[in-house]
Amino acid sequence: MRRLVQFSAAAVIAAGALSACGGASGGSGSGGSGGFSSSSSSSSGSSSSSASSSSSSSSSDSGLVPAGYHLVWSDEFNGTGLPDSTKWSDDTFANTYDPANGELQYYTAARLENDQQQGGSLNITVRKEDMTGSPDYAGQHYSSARIITRNKADWQYGYFEIRAKLPCGNGTWPAIWMVGSAGSWPKDGEIDIMEELGRDPNTVYGTIHDNFNQGHNGDGTAHSIADACGSFHVYQLTWTSERIDIGVDGTIYDSYVNAHTGYDQWPFDGRQYLLLNVAMGGSWAGAVDDSALPRSMQVDYVRVYQQ
């Protein structure tokens, strides 16, 4: 399914106000990326072994990695406590800035209640609470976390694989995404590997943002998964100098091709860093069901491969 998504993956970052948003697709997958089959329809009933209710696949190969790629960076989240500070930082910039997309969450820093490795996965948990004791608290009624690799790791091209189970519940808005390290949004580009809305739990979105796509409008595709909240799935990005393919469990559902018309349409020769977060409410995710909280996005692993 294709549709124009007016708002998307939550963000205000870096040198300016950075808002992640979804959009209308520039073309369904047409092959060309190892590790994927080409499709623009539902992946329900996929026979891929990557989809599972267990997080036990850490350190094992998904079987989806394209030929010729080798692992260059990963976090298997097999520790305990907070995420590895040599790989991730907490991003709290938006707490006192005008919230992106009208979102309702307060992003905490180094707080186990929102951001914890446990049982072989990372749990990013959103809670109904007021963080009134925090110096940058600005009246939000929900706590969550957003972690980023900025200034610790970024990449130019590669195959990215993130195995995760998503939260359900109206108002939740988990995202796995990348932003241009140069720091100007949307000029330096954004790649939304996965977004999901708790009010529509069987749909995920892959979206590209740049100047050509007018920032918030973006260029992307919605894709159906029968149990995004009940099972782990492998969310994938293959990014080369010529094209970007976004998929899940080995199926491409969105592609964006370098038209060689300039930086506005293709800022994706620059380096990008990773972000993981759960936003709440706002212009796209809508009203929050407080009775559904707390909810967590569980991330089994993040792996980056390059040729």
Side-chain angles (χ1 to χ4, degrees):
M1 181 181 76
R2 301 168 188 279
R3 68 180 184 183
L4 182 65
V5 179
Q6 293 297 325
F7 299 93
S8 192
V12 181
I13 288 187
L18 180 155
S19 299
C21 342
S25 172
S28 64
S30 56
S33 290
F36 288 108
S37 63
S38 183
S39 172
S40 58
S41 61
S42 170
S43 66
S44 304
S46 168
S47 62
S48 169
S49 61
S50 304
S52 166
S53 61
S54 168
S55 64
S56 62
S57 77
S58 283
S59 301
S60 63
D61 191 330
S62 68
L64 300 172
V65 181
Y69 282 78
H70 64 279
L71 188 68
V72 297
W73 188 94
S74 69
D75 198 333
E76 304 294 328
F77 301 116
N78 286 331
T80 58
L82 295 170
D84 185 345
S85 62
T86 67
K87 297 179 177 181
W88 303 96
S89 298
D90 295 295
D91 177 31
T92 62
F93 177 81
N95 288 342
T96 54
Y97 192 91
D98 183 28
N101 307 321
E103 294 158 24
L104 304 175
Q105 75 285 335
Y106 172 90
Y107 286 125
T108 64
R111 185 172 187 256
L112 291 173
E113 290 88 343
N114 300 110
D115 192 13
Q116 181 173 192
Q117 296 183 88
Q118 188 175 42
S121 65
L122 173 71
N123 300 298
I124 297 180
T125 302
V126 60
R127 300 178 181 276
K128 177 71 169 71
E129 58 183 342
D130 295 355
M131 302 299 294
T132 53
S134 302
D136 59 346
Y137 177 69
Q140 300 94 332
H141 300 303
Y142 304 93
S143 67
S144 187
R146 181 164 69 197
I147 61 172
I148 64 177
T149 66
R150 189 179 185 195
N151 297 325
K152 297 178 185 290
D154 59 5
W155 302 271
Q156 180 194 44
Y157 315 137
Y159 169 74
F160 298 77
E161 191 173 278
I162 301 93
R163 186 172 185 264
K165 182 164 68 172
L166 308 180
C168 287
N170 286 358
T172 59
W173 185 355
I176 300 167
W177 50 304
M178 302 185 74
V179 169
S181 299
S184 179
W185 187 93
K187 177 183 176 182
D188 297 316
E190 172 183 329
I191 304 170
D192 295 338
I193 301 171
M194 186 290 305
E195 295 179 273
E196 180 252 13
L197 306 176
R199 60 178 167 78
D200 185 15
N202 295 328
T203 303
V204 295
Y205 302 84
T207 311
I208 301 298
H209 301 271
D210 51 33
N211 275 347
F212 180 78
N213 293 301
Q214 303 176 37
H216 285 283
N217 287 332
D219 184 308
T221 303
H223 184 72
S224 295
I225 301 179
D227 58 350
C229 299
S231 297
F232 282 85
H233 292 269
V234 176
Y235 298 97
Q236 301 163 272
L237 163 69
T238 303
W239 166 28
T240 72
S241 62
E242 294 299 320
R243 66 186 290 133
I244 290 169
D245 290 315
I246 297 172
V248 58
D249 297 334
T251 298
I252 295 173
Y253 65 89
D254 186 66
S255 294
Y256 188 73
V257 176
N258 184 355
H260 297 281
T261 56
Y263 196 79
D264 278 356
Q265 189 272 334
W266 188 265
F268 301 106
D269 291 326
R271 302 181 74 82
Q272 299 228 341
Y273 62 94
L274 274 163
L275 306 90
L276 308 174
N277 69 283
V278 180
M280 288 298 292
S283 305
W284 198 28
V288 177
D289 177 6
D290 290 347
S291 68
L293 302 177
R295 294 283 179 166
S296 299
M297 175 167 69
Q298 295 178 260
V299 183
D300 183 21
Y301 61 73
V302 178
R303 297 172 184 167
V304 182
Y305 301 79
Q306 290 182 320
Q307 292 177 309

